[in-house]
Coordinates of all heavy atoms in Angstrom, one line a residue:
M1 N -56.9 -93.9 75.1 CA -56.0 -93.5 76.1 C -55.4 -92.1 75.9 O -55.3 -91.4 76.8 CB -54.8 -94.6 76.2 CG -53.7 -94.3 77.1 SD -54.3 -94.7 78.8 CE -52.8 -94.5 79.6
K2 N -55.0 -91.8 74.7 CA -54.5 -90.5 74.4 C -55.5 -89.4 74.6 O -55.2 -88.4 75.1 CB -54.0 -90.5 72.9 CG -53.2 -89.3 72.5 CD -52.7 -89.4 71.1 CE -51.8 -88.2 70.8 NZ -51.3 -88.3 69.4
V3 N -56.8 -89.7 74.3 CA -57.8 -88.7 74.5 C -58.0 -88.4 76.0 O -58.2 -87.3 76.4 CB -59.2 -89.2 73.9 CG1 -60.3 -88.3 74.3 CG2 -59.0 -89.3 72.4
H4 N -58.0 -89.5 76.8 CA -58.1 -89.3 78.3 C -56.9 -88.5 78.9 O -57.1 -87.6 79.7 CB -58.2 -90.6 79.0 CG -59.5 -91.4 78.6 ND1 -60.7 -90.9 79.0 CD2 -59.7 -92.5 77.9 CE1 -61.6 -91.8 78.6 NE2 -61.0 -92.7 77.9
L5 N -55.8 -88.7 78.4 CA -54.6 -88.0 78.9 C -54.7 -86.5 78.5 O -54.4 -85.7 79.3 CB -53.3 -88.6 78.3 CG -52.0 -88.0 78.7 CD1 -51.9 -88.1 80.3 CD2 -50.8 -88.7 78.1
T6 N -55.1 -86.3 77.3 CA -55.2 -84.9 76.8 C -56.3 -84.2 77.6 O -56.1 -83.0 78.0 CB -55.6 -84.9 75.3 OG1 -54.6 -85.6 74.6 CG2 -55.7 -83.5 74.8
S7 N -57.4 -84.8 77.9 CA -58.5 -84.2 78.7 C -58.0 -84.0 80.1 O -58.3 -82.9 80.7 CB -59.7 -85.2 78.8 OG -60.2 -85.4 77.5
A8 N -57.2 -84.9 80.7 CA -56.7 -84.7 82.0 C -55.7 -83.5 82.1 O -55.8 -82.7 83.0 CB -56.0 -85.9 82.5
V9 N -54.9 -83.4 81.1 CA -53.9 -82.2 81.0 C -54.7 -80.9 80.9 O -54.4 -79.9 81.5 CB -52.9 -82.4 79.9 CG1 -52.1 -81.2 79.7 CG2 -52.0 -83.6 80.2
A10 N -55.7 -80.9 80.0 CA -56.5 -79.7 79.8 C -57.2 -79.3 81.1 O -57.3 -78.2 81.4 CB -57.5 -80.0 78.7
G11 N -57.7 -80.3 81.8 CA -58.4 -80.0 83.1 C -57.5 -79.4 84.1 O -57.8 -78.5 84.8
L12 N -56.3 -80.0 84.2 CA -55.3 -79.4 85.1 C -54.9 -78.0 84.7 O -54.7 -77.1 85.6 CB -54.0 -80.3 85.1 CG -54.2 -81.6 85.8 CD1 -52.9 -82.5 85.7 CD2 -54.5 -81.4 87.3
L13 N -54.8 -77.7 83.4 CA -54.4 -76.4 83.0 C -55.6 -75.4 83.4 O -55.3 -74.3 83.8 CB -54.2 -76.3 81.5 CG -52.8 -77.0 81.1 CD1 -52.7 -77.0 79.5 CD2 -51.7 -76.2 81.7
L14 N -56.8 -75.8 83.2 CA -57.9 -75.0 83.6 C -58.0 -74.7 85.0 O -58.2 -73.6 85.5 CB -59.3 -75.6 83.1 CG -59.6 -75.6 81.6 CD1 -60.8 -76.4 81.3 CD2 -59.8 -74.1 81.2
L15 N -57.7 -75.7 85.9 CA -57.7 -75.5 87.3 C -56.6 -74.6 87.7 O -56.7 -73.7 88.5 CB -57.5 -76.9 88.0 CG -58.8 -77.8 88.1 CD1 -58.4 -79.1 88.7 CD2 -59.9 -77.1 88.8
G16 N -55.4 -74.8 87.1 CA -54.3 -73.9 87.4 C -54.6 -72.5 87.0 O -54.3 -71.5 87.7
G17 N -55.3 -72.3 85.8 CA -55.7 -71.0 85.4 C -56.7 -70.4 86.3 O -56.7 -69.2 86.6
A18 N -57.6 -71.2 86.9 CA -58.6 -70.6 87.8 C -58.0 -70.2 89.1 O -58.3 -69.1 89.6 CB -59.6 -71.7 88.1
S19 N -57.0 -70.9 89.6 CA -56.4 -70.4 90.8 C -55.5 -69.2 90.5 O -55.5 -68.3 91.4 CB -55.5 -71.5 91.4 OG -54.4 -71.9 90.5
F20 N -55.0 -69.0 89.4 CA -54.2 -67.8 89.0 C -55.2 -66.6 88.9 O -54.9 -65.6 89.4 CB -53.5 -68.0 87.7 CG -52.8 -66.8 87.2 CD1 -51.6 -66.4 87.8 CD2 -53.3 -65.9 86.2 CE1 -51.0 -65.2 87.4 CE2 -52.7 -64.8 85.8 CZ -51.5 -64.4 86.4
A21 N -56.4 -66.9 88.4 CA -57.4 -65.8 88.3 C -57.8 -65.4 89.6 O -58.1 -64.2 89.8 CB -58.6 -66.3 87.4
V22 N -58.0 -66.3 90.6 CA -58.4 -65.9 91.9 C -57.3 -65.0 92.6 O -57.6 -64.1 93.2 CB -58.6 -67.2 92.8 CG1 -58.8 -66.8 94.2 CG2 -59.9 -67.9 92.3
A23 N -56.0 -65.4 92.4 CA -55.0 -64.6 92.9 C -55.0 -63.1 92.3 O -54.6 -62.2 93.0 CB -53.6 -65.2 92.7
Q24 N -55.5 -63.0 91.1 CA -55.5 -61.7 90.4 C -56.9 -61.0 90.5 O -57.1 -60.1 89.9 CB -55.1 -61.9 89.0 CG -53.8 -62.5 88.7 CD -52.7 -61.5 89.1 OE1 -52.8 -60.3 89.0 NE2 -51.6 -62.0 89.6
A25 N -57.7 -61.5 91.4 CA -59.1 -61.0 91.5 C -59.3 -59.6 91.9 O -60.3 -59.0 91.6 CB -60.0 -62.0 92.4
V26 N -58.4 -59.0 92.7 CA -58.5 -57.7 93.2 C -58.1 -56.7 92.1 O -57.0 -56.7 91.6 CB -57.6 -57.4 94.4 CG1 -57.7 -56.0 94.8 CG2 -58.0 -58.3 95.5
V27 N -59.1 -55.9 91.7 CA -58.9 -54.9 90.6 C -59.1 -53.5 91.3 O -60.2 -53.3 91.8 CB -59.9 -55.1 89.4 CG1 -59.7 -54.0 88.4 CG2 -59.6 -56.5 88.8
I28 N -58.1 -52.7 91.2 CA -58.2 -51.4 91.7 C -58.4 -50.5 90.4 O -57.5 -50.4 89.6 CB -56.9 -51.0 92.5 CG1 -56.7 -51.9 93.6 CG2 -57.1 -49.5 93.0 CD1 -57.8 -51.9 94.7
A29 N -59.5 -49.7 90.4 CA -59.7 -48.9 89.3 C -58.7 -47.7 89.3 O -58.2 -47.3 90.3 CB -61.1 -48.3 89.4
P30 N -58.4 -47.2 88.1 CA -57.4 -46.1 88.0 C -57.8 -44.9 88.9 O -56.9 -44.3 89.5 CB -57.5 -45.7 86.5 CG -57.9 -46.9 85.8 CD -58.9 -47.6 86.8
E31 N -59.1 -44.6 89.0 CA -59.5 -43.5 89.9 C -59.2 -43.8 91.4 O -58.8 -43.0 92.1 CB -61.0 -43.3 89.8 CG -61.5 -42.9 88.4 CD -61.7 -44.1 87.5 OE1 -61.8 -45.3 87.9 OE2 -61.7 -43.9 86.2
Q32 N -59.4 -45.1 91.8 CA -59.0 -45.5 93.1 C -57.5 -45.4 93.4 O -57.1 -45.0 94.4 CB -59.5 -47.0 93.4 CG -61.0 -47.1 93.6 CD -61.4 -48.5 93.7 OE1 -61.0 -49.4 93.0 NE2 -62.2 -48.8 94.8
E33 N -56.8 -45.8 92.4 CA -55.3 -45.8 92.5 C -54.9 -44.3 92.7 O -54.0 -44.1 93.6 CB -54.6 -46.3 91.3 CG -54.4 -47.8 91.3 CD -53.3 -48.4 90.5 OE1 -52.3 -47.6 90.2 OE2 -53.3 -49.6 90.2
T34 N -55.5 -43.4 92.0 CA -55.1 -42.0 92.2 C -55.4 -41.5 93.6 O -54.6 -40.9 94.3 CB -55.9 -41.1 91.2 OG1 -55.6 -41.5 89.9 CG2 -55.6 -39.6 91.4
V35 N -56.6 -41.9 94.1 CA -57.0 -41.5 95.5 C -56.0 -42.2 96.5 O -55.6 -41.5 97.5 CB -58.5 -41.9 95.8 CG1 -58.8 -41.7 97.3 CG2 -59.4 -41.1 94.9
I36 N -55.7 -43.4 96.3 CA -54.8 -44.2 97.2 C -53.4 -43.5 97.2 O -52.8 -43.3 98.2 CB -54.7 -45.7 96.8 CG1 -56.1 -46.3 97.1 CG2 -53.6 -46.3 97.6 CD1 -56.2 -47.7 96.5
R37 N -52.9 -43.2 96.0 CA -51.6 -42.5 95.9 C -51.6 -41.2 96.7 O -50.6 -40.9 97.4 CB -51.2 -42.3 94.5 CG -50.8 -43.5 93.7 CD -50.4 -43.1 92.3 NE -50.5 -44.2 91.4 CZ -49.7 -45.2 91.3 NH1 -48.6 -45.2 92.0 NH2 -49.9 -46.2 90.4
E38 N -52.6 -40.4 96.5 CA -52.7 -39.1 97.2 C -52.8 -39.3 98.7 O -52.1 -38.6 99.5 CB -53.9 -38.4 96.7 CG -53.8 -37.8 95.3 CD -55.1 -37.2 94.8 OE1 -56.1 -37.2 95.5 OE2 -55.0 -36.8 93.6
Y39 N -53.5 -40.3 99.2 CA -53.6 -40.6 100.6 C -52.3 -41.0 101.1 O -51.8 -40.5 102.2 CB -54.7 -41.7 100.8 CG -54.8 -42.0 102.3 CD1 -55.6 -41.3 103.1 CD2 -54.1 -43.1 102.8 CE1 -55.7 -41.6 104.5 CE2 -54.2 -43.4 104.2 CZ -55.0 -42.6 105.0 OH -55.0 -42.9 106.4
V40 N -51.6 -42.0 100.5 CA -50.3 -42.5 101.0 C -49.3 -41.4 101.0 O -48.5 -41.3 102.0 CB -49.9 -43.7 100.1 CG1 -48.4 -44.1 100.4 CG2 -50.8 -44.9 100.3
T41 N -49.3 -40.5 100.0 CA -48.3 -39.4 100.0 C -48.5 -38.5 101.1 O -47.6 -38.0 101.7 CB -48.5 -38.6 98.6 OG1 -48.3 -39.5 97.6 CG2 -47.5 -37.5 98.5
T42 N -49.8 -38.2 101.5 CA -50.0 -37.3 102.6 C -49.7 -37.9 104.0 O -49.5 -37.2 104.9 CB -51.5 -36.8 102.6 OG1 -52.4 -38.0 102.9 CG2 -51.9 -36.1 101.4
Q43 N -49.6 -39.2 104.1 CA -49.4 -39.9 105.3 C -47.9 -40.0 105.7 O -47.6 -40.2 106.9 CB -50.0 -41.3 105.3 CG -51.4 -41.3 105.1 CD -52.2 -40.5 106.1 OE1 -52.1 -40.7 107.3 NE2 -52.9 -39.5 105.6
K44 N -47.0 -39.8 104.8 CA -45.6 -39.8 105.1 C -45.1 -41.0 105.8 O -44.4 -41.0 106.8 CB -45.2 -38.5 105.9 CG -45.6 -37.2 105.3 CD -44.7 -36.9 104.1 CE -45.0 -35.4 103.7 NZ -45.2 -35.2 102.4
V45 N -45.5 -42.2 105.3 CA -45.2 -43.5 105.9 C -43.8 -43.9 105.5 O -43.5 -43.8 104.3 CB -46.2 -44.6 105.6 CG1 -45.8 -45.9 106.0 CG2 -47.6 -44.2 106.2
D46 N -42.9 -44.3 106.4 CA -41.6 -44.7 106.0 C -41.7 -46.1 105.3 O -42.4 -47.0 105.7 CB -40.7 -44.9 107.3 CG -40.4 -43.6 107.9 OD1 -40.3 -42.6 107.2 OD2 -40.2 -43.5 109.2
P47 N -40.9 -46.2 104.3 CA -40.8 -47.5 103.6 C -40.2 -48.6 104.5 O -39.4 -48.3 105.4 CB -40.0 -47.2 102.3 CG -39.2 -46.0 102.6 CD -40.0 -45.2 103.6
V48 N -40.6 -49.8 104.2 CA -40.0 -50.9 105.0 C -39.2 -51.8 104.1 O -39.3 -51.8 102.9 CB -41.2 -51.8 105.6 CG1 -42.0 -51.0 106.6 CG2 -42.0 -52.4 104.6
E49 N -38.3 -52.5 104.8 CA -37.4 -53.5 104.1 C -37.9 -54.8 104.5 O -38.0 -55.2 105.7 CB -36.0 -53.3 104.4 CG -35.1 -54.2 103.6 CD -33.6 -53.8 103.8 OE1 -33.3 -52.6 104.0 OE2 -32.8 -54.7 103.8
L50 N -38.4 -55.6 103.5 CA -38.9 -56.9 103.8 C -37.8 -57.9 104.0 O -36.7 -57.7 103.4 CB -39.8 -57.4 102.7 CG -41.1 -56.6 102.4 CD1 -41.8 -57.1 101.2 CD2 -41.9 -56.5 103.7
P51 N -38.0 -59.0 104.7 CA -37.0 -60.1 104.8 C -36.7 -60.6 103.4 O -37.5 -60.6 102.5 CB -37.7 -61.1 105.6 CG -38.8 -60.4 106.4 CD -39.2 -59.3 105.5
A52 N -35.5 -61.1 103.2 CA -35.0 -61.6 101.9 C -35.9 -62.7 101.3 O -36.0 -62.8 100.1 CB -33.6 -62.1 102.1
D53 N -36.6 -63.4 102.2 CA -37.4 -64.6 101.6 C -38.8 -64.1 101.3 O -39.6 -65.0 100.9 CB -37.4 -65.7 102.6 CG -38.1 -65.3 104.0 OD1 -38.1 -64.1 104.3 OD2 -38.5 -66.2 104.7
V54 N -39.1 -62.8 101.4 CA -40.5 -62.4 101.0 C -40.4 -61.6 99.8 O -39.7 -60.6 99.7 CB -41.1 -61.5 102.2 CG1 -42.4 -61.0 101.8 CG2 -41.2 -62.3 103.5
E55 N -41.2 -62.0 98.8 CA -41.3 -61.3 97.5 C -42.5 -60.4 97.5 O -43.6 -60.7 98.1 CB -41.4 -62.3 96.3 CG -40.1 -63.0 96.1 CD -40.3 -63.9 94.8 OE1 -40.7 -63.3 93.8 OE2 -39.9 -65.1 94.9
V56 N -42.4 -59.3 96.8 CA -43.6 -58.3 96.7 C -44.3 -58.8 95.5 O -44.2 -58.2 94.4 CB -43.1 -56.9 96.6 CG1 -44.3 -55.9 96.4 CG2 -42.3 -56.5 97.8
T57 N -45.2 -59.8 95.6 CA -46.0 -60.3 94.6 C -47.4 -60.6 95.1 O -47.6 -60.9 96.3 CB -45.4 -61.6 94.0 OG1 -45.3 -62.6 95.0 CG2 -44.1 -61.4 93.3
V58 N -48.4 -60.5 94.3 CA -49.8 -60.8 94.7 C -49.8 -62.2 95.1 O -49.3 -63.1 94.5 CB -50.7 -60.5 93.5 CG1 -52.1 -61.0 93.8 CG2 -50.7 -59.1 93.1
G59 N -50.4 -62.4 96.3 CA -50.6 -63.7 96.9 C -49.5 -64.0 98.0 O -49.7 -64.9 98.8
A60 N -48.4 -63.3 98.0 CA -47.4 -63.5 99.0 C -48.0 -63.0 100.4 O -48.8 -62.1 100.4 CB -46.1 -62.7 98.7
T61 N -47.5 -63.6 101.4 CA -47.9 -63.2 102.8 C -46.8 -62.4 103.5 O -45.7 -62.9 103.5 CB -48.3 -64.5 103.6 OG1 -49.3 -65.2 102.9 CG2 -48.8 -64.1 105.0
L62 N -47.2 -61.3 104.1 CA -46.2 -60.5 104.8 C -46.1 -61.0 106.2 O -47.2 -61.3 106.8 CB -46.6 -59.0 104.8 CG -46.7 -58.3 103.4 CD1 -47.1 -56.9 103.6 CD2 -45.3 -58.4 102.7
P63 N -44.9 -61.0 106.8 CA -44.8 -61.5 108.2 C -45.4 -60.5 109.2 O -45.6 -59.4 108.9 CB -43.3 -61.6 108.3 CG -42.7 -60.8 107.2 CD -43.7 -60.7 106.1
E64 N -45.7 -61.0 110.3 CA -46.2 -60.2 111.4 C -45.3 -59.1 111.8 O -45.8 -58.1 112.4 CB -46.5 -61.1 112.7 CG -47.6 -62.1 112.4 CD -49.0 -61.5 112.3 OE1 -49.3 -60.4 112.9 OE2 -49.8 -62.1 111.6
T65 N -44.1 -59.2 111.5 CA -43.1 -58.1 111.9 C -43.2 -56.9 111.0 O -42.7 -55.8 111.4 CB -41.7 -58.6 111.8 OG1 -41.4 -59.1 110.4 CG2 -41.4 -59.7 112.8
V66 N -43.9 -57.0 109.9 CA -44.1 -55.8 109.0 C -45.4 -55.1 109.5 O -46.5 -55.6 109.5 CB -44.3 -56.3 107.5 CG1 -44.6 -55.1 106.7 CG2 -43.0 -57.0 107.1
E67 N -45.2 -53.8 109.8 CA -46.3 -53.0 110.3 C -47.2 -52.5 109.1 O -46.7 -51.9 108.2 CB -45.8 -51.7 111.0 CG -46.9 -50.8 111.5 CD -46.4 -49.6 112.2 OE1 -45.2 -49.4 112.3 OE2 -47.3 -48.8 112.6
L68 N -48.5 -52.9 109.1 CA -49.4 -52.4 108.1 C -50.1 -51.1 108.6 O -50.3 -50.9 109.7 CB -50.5 -53.5 107.9 CG -50.0 -54.9 107.5 CD1 -51.1 -55.8 107.3 CD2 -49.2 -54.8 106.2
H69 N -50.4 -50.3 107.6 CA -51.0 -49.0 107.9 C -52.5 -49.0 107.4 O -52.8 -49.5 106.3 CB -50.2 -47.9 107.2 CG -48.8 -47.9 107.7 ND1 -48.4 -47.4 108.9 CD2 -47.7 -48.4 107.1 CE1 -47.1 -47.5 109.1 NE2 -46.7 -48.1 108.0
T70 N -53.3 -48.3 108.1 CA -54.7 -48.1 107.7 C -54.8 -47.3 106.5 O -54.1 -46.3 106.3 CB -55.5 -47.5 108.8 OG1 -55.4 -48.3 110.0 CG2 -57.0 -47.3 108.5
L71 N -55.7 -47.7 105.6 CA -55.9 -47.0 104.3 C -57.3 -46.4 104.4 O -58.3 -47.1 104.2 CB -55.8 -48.0 103.1 CG -55.8 -47.4 101.7 CD1 -54.7 -46.3 101.6 CD2 -55.6 -48.5 100.7
D72 N -57.4 -45.2 104.8 CA -58.7 -44.5 105.0 C -59.2 -43.9 103.7 O -59.2 -42.7 103.5 CB -58.5 -43.4 106.0 CG -59.9 -42.9 106.5 OD1 -60.9 -43.6 106.3 OD2 -59.9 -41.8 107.1
V73 N -59.6 -44.8 102.8 CA -60.0 -44.4 101.4 C -61.4 -45.2 101.2 O -61.5 -46.4 101.5 CB -59.0 -44.9 100.3 CG1 -59.6 -44.7 99.0 CG2 -57.7 -44.2 100.5
P74 N -62.4 -44.4 100.8 CA -63.7 -45.1 100.6 C -63.7 -46.2 99.6 O -63.0 -46.2 98.6 CB -64.6 -43.9 100.0 CG -63.9 -42.7 100.4 CD -62.4 -43.0 100.5
D75 N -64.4 -47.3 100.0 CA -64.6 -48.5 99.1 C -63.3 -49.3 98.9 O -63.2 -50.1 98.0 CB -65.1 -48.1 97.7 CG -66.5 -47.5 97.8 OD1 -67.3 -47.9 98.7 OD2 -66.8 -46.5 97.1
V76 N -62.3 -49.1 99.8 CA -61.1 -49.9 99.7 C -60.8 -50.4 101.1 O -60.5 -49.6 102.0 CB -59.8 -49.1 99.2 CG1 -58.6 -49.9 99.2 CG2 -60.1 -48.5 97.8
N77 N -61.0 -51.7 101.3 CA -60.9 -52.3 102.6 C -59.6 -53.0 102.9 O -59.6 -54.2 103.3 CB -62.1 -53.2 102.9 CG -63.4 -52.5 102.8 OD1 -63.5 -51.4 103.4 ND2 -64.4 -53.1 102.1
Y78 N -58.5 -52.4 102.5 CA -57.2 -53.0 102.6 C -56.3 -52.1 103.5 O -56.6 -50.9 103.7 CB -56.5 -53.2 101.3 CG -57.3 -54.1 100.4 CD1 -58.0 -53.6 99.3 CD2 -57.5 -55.4 100.7 CE1 -58.8 -54.4 98.4 CE2 -58.3 -56.2 99.9 CZ -58.9 -55.7 98.8 OH -59.7 -56.5 98.0
Q79 N -55.2 -52.7 104.0 CA -54.2 -51.9 104.6 C -53.0 -51.8 103.6 O -53.1 -52.5 102.6 CB -53.8 -52.5 105.9 CG -54.9 -52.5 107.0 CD -54.5 -53.0 108.3 OE1 -53.7 -54.0 108.4 NE2 -55.0 -52.4 109.4
Y80 N -52.0 -51.0 104.0 CA -50.9 -50.9 103.0 C -49.6 -50.8 103.7 O -49.5 -50.5 104.9 CB -51.1 -49.7 102.1 CG -50.9 -48.3 102.8 CD1 -49.7 -47.7 102.7 CD2 -51.8 -47.7 103.6 CE1 -49.4 -46.5 103.3 CE2 -51.6 -46.5 104.3 CZ -50.4 -45.9 104.1 OH -50.2 -44.7 104.7
V81 N -48.6 -51.0 102.9 CA -47.2 -50.8 103.3 C -46.4 -50.3 102.1 O -46.8 -50.5 101.0 CB -46.6 -52.1 103.9 CG1 -46.5 -53.1 102.8 CG2 -45.2 -51.9 104.5
V82 N -45.4 -49.5 102.3 CA -44.6 -49.0 101.2 C -43.3 -49.7 101.2 O -42.6 -49.8 102.2 CB -44.3 -47.5 101.3 CG1 -43.4 -47.0 100.2 CG2 -45.7 -46.7 101.4
V83 N -43.0 -50.3 100.0 CA -41.8 -51.1 99.8 C -41.1 -50.7 98.5 O -41.7 -50.7 97.5 CB -42.1 -52.6 99.7 CG1 -40.8 -53.4 99.5 CG2 -42.9 -53.1 100.9
D84 N -39.9 -50.2 98.6 CA -39.1 -49.8 97.5 C -39.9 -48.8 96.6 O -39.9 -49.0 95.3 CB -38.7 -51.0 96.6 CG -37.7 -51.9 97.4 OD1 -36.9 -51.4 98.2 OD2 -37.8 -53.2 97.1
G85 N -40.5 -47.9 97.2 CA -41.3 -46.9 96.4 C -42.6 -47.3 95.9 O -43.3 -46.6 95.2
R86 N -43.0 -48.6 96.2 CA -44.3 -49.1 95.7 C -45.2 -49.2 96.9 O -44.9 -49.6 98.0 CB -44.1 -50.5 95.1 CG -43.2 -50.5 93.9 CD -42.9 -51.9 93.4 NE -42.0 -52.5 94.3 CZ -41.6 -53.8 94.2 NH1 -42.1 -54.5 93.2 NH2 -40.8 -54.3 95.0
T87 N -46.5 -48.9 96.6 CA -47.5 -49.0 97.6 C -48.1 -50.4 97.4 O -48.5 -50.8 96.3 CB -48.6 -48.0 97.4 OG1 -48.0 -46.7 97.6 CG2 -49.7 -48.2 98.5
V88 N -48.1 -51.2 98.5 CA -48.5 -52.6 98.5 C -49.8 -52.7 99.3 O -49.8 -52.4 100.5 CB -47.4 -53.5 99.1 CG1 -47.8 -54.9 99.1 CG2 -46.1 -53.3 98.3
L89 N -50.9 -53.1 98.7 CA -52.1 -53.3 99.4 C -52.2 -54.7 99.9 O -51.9 -55.7 99.2 CB -53.3 -53.0 98.4 CG -53.4 -51.6 97.8 CD1 -54.6 -51.5 97.0 CD2 -53.3 -50.5 98.8
V90 N -52.7 -54.8 101.2 CA -52.7 -56.1 101.9 C -54.0 -56.3 102.5 O -54.6 -55.4 103.1 CB -51.6 -56.0 103.0 CG1 -51.5 -57.3 103.8 CG2 -50.2 -55.7 102.4
E91 N -54.5 -57.6 102.4 CA -55.7 -58.0 103.1 C -55.3 -58.1 104.6 O -54.4 -58.9 105.0 CB -56.1 -59.4 102.6 CG -57.2 -60.1 103.4 CD -58.5 -59.3 103.4 OE1 -59.0 -58.8 102.4 OE2 -59.0 -59.2 104.5
P92 N -56.0 -57.3 105.5 CA -55.6 -57.2 106.9 C -55.7 -58.6 107.6 O -54.8 -58.9 108.5 CB -56.5 -56.2 107.5 CG -57.3 -55.6 106.4 CD -57.1 -56.4 105.1
D93 N -56.7 -59.4 107.3 CA -56.9 -60.6 108.1 C -55.9 -61.7 107.8 O -55.4 -62.4 108.6 CB -58.3 -61.2 107.8 CG -59.4 -60.2 108.4 OD1 -59.1 -59.5 109.3 OD2 -60.5 -60.3 107.8
T94 N -55.5 -61.8 106.5 CA -54.6 -62.8 106.1 C -53.2 -62.3 105.9 O -52.2 -63.1 105.7 CB -55.1 -63.4 104.7 OG1 -55.0 -62.4 103.7 CG2 -56.4 -64.0 104.9
R95 N -53.0 -61.0 105.8 CA -51.7 -60.3 105.5 C -51.2 -60.7 104.1 O -50.0 -60.5 103.8 CB -50.7 -60.7 106.5 CG -51.1 -60.2 107.9 CD -50.1 -60.4 109.0 NE -48.9 -59.6 108.8 CZ -48.8 -58.3 109.2 NH1 -49.8 -57.7 109.8 NH2 -47.7 -57.6 109.0
K96 N -52.1 -61.1 103.2 CA -51.7 -61.5 101.8 C -51.7 -60.2 101.0 O -52.6 -59.4 101.1 CB -52.6 -62.5 101.2 CG -52.4 -63.9 101.8 CD -53.1 -64.9 100.9 CE -53.0 -66.3 101.5 NZ -51.6 -66.8 101.4
I97 N -50.7 -60.1 100.1 CA -50.6 -59.0 99.2 C -51.7 -59.2 98.1 O -51.8 -60.2 97.5 CB -49.3 -58.9 98.5 CG1 -48.2 -58.6 99.6 CG2 -49.2 -57.8 97.4 CD1 -46.8 -58.7 99.1
V98 N -52.6 -58.1 97.9 CA -53.6 -58.2 96.9 C -53.4 -57.3 95.7 O -54.0 -57.5 94.7 CB -55.0 -57.9 97.6 CG1 -55.4 -59.0 98.6 CG2 -55.1 -56.5 98.1
H99 N -52.5 -56.3 95.9 CA -52.3 -55.4 94.7 C -51.0 -54.7 95.0 O -50.7 -54.2 96.1 CB -53.5 -54.4 94.6 CG -53.4 -53.6 93.4 ND1 -53.7 -54.1 92.1 CD2 -53.1 -52.3 93.2 CE1 -53.6 -53.1 91.2 NE2 -53.2 -52.0 91.9
V100 N -50.2 -54.5 93.9 CA -49.0 -53.7 94.0 C -49.1 -52.6 93.1 O -49.3 -52.8 91.9 CB -47.7 -54.6 93.7 CG1 -46.5 -53.8 93.8 CG2 -47.7 -55.8 94.6
M101 N -48.9 -51.4 93.6 CA -49.0 -50.2 92.8 C -47.5 -49.7 92.5 O -46.8 -49.3 93.4 CB -49.8 -49.1 93.5 CG -51.2 -49.5 93.7 SD -52.1 -48.3 94.8 CE -51.7 -46.7 94.2
E102 N -47.1 -49.7 91.3 CA -45.8 -49.3 90.9 C -45.6 -47.8 90.9 O -46.5 -47.1 90.8 CB -45.5 -49.8 89.5 CG -45.5 -51.3 89.3 CD -44.4 -52.0 90.1 OE1 -43.3 -51.5 90.4 OE2 -44.7 -53.2 90.5

């Protein structure tokens, strides 16, 4: 019985870790971050204030009221928004945050 319980707990931890890994799957290379920062700086986009119930974390969904901006950078298929001095990359179809650049 103890062995089965330990196996079940280990399986749940592995599944939890796998879903965490999926949420962290978007990797922006340092070179890409540099290009994105330069692009965002040249666009002069006003920062937005998010509703109090929305956290700037990977996996969070931005409401439809937040205007997303096109990110015209090669090999990066995301849109962005600037929040509190951070560039937030967003999956346009789902509006989920995929990467936060400090």
Side-chain angles (χ1 to χ4, degrees):
M1 175 76 171
K2 189 175 184 180
V3 172
H4 293 292
L5 181 59
T6 304
S7 297
V9 170
L12 287 174
L13 289 174
L14 284 174
L15 286 175
S19 62
F20 178 76
V22 169
Q24 298 293 326
V26 174
V27 176
I28 304 295
E31 299 82 19
Q32 286 177 309
E33 277 205 21
T34 300
V35 172
I36 292 168
R37 284 181 205 284
E38 289 173 0
Y39 178 84
V40 170
T41 302
T42 63
Q43 298 306 302
K44 307 282 191 229
V45 171
D46 291 329
V48 298
E49 188 170 322
L50 297 178
D53 63 336
V54 177
E55 289 186 47
V56 181
T57 58
V58 172
T61 302
L62 297 181
E64 293 291 328
T65 56
V66 174
E67 181 183 0
L68 301 178
H69 303 282
T70 301
L71 189 57
D72 192 17
V73 173
D75 301 323
V76 179
N77 299 317
Y78 302 110
Q79 291 183 327
Y80 75 98
V81 64
V82 177
V83 180
D84 295 328
R86 297 176 287 178
T87 300
V88 180
L89 302 184
V90 180
E91 169 61 47
D93 295 334
T94 62
R95 301 184 67 83
K96 288 196 182 289
I97 296 172
V98 295
H99 188 76
V100 180
M101 296 170 48
E102 298 294 331

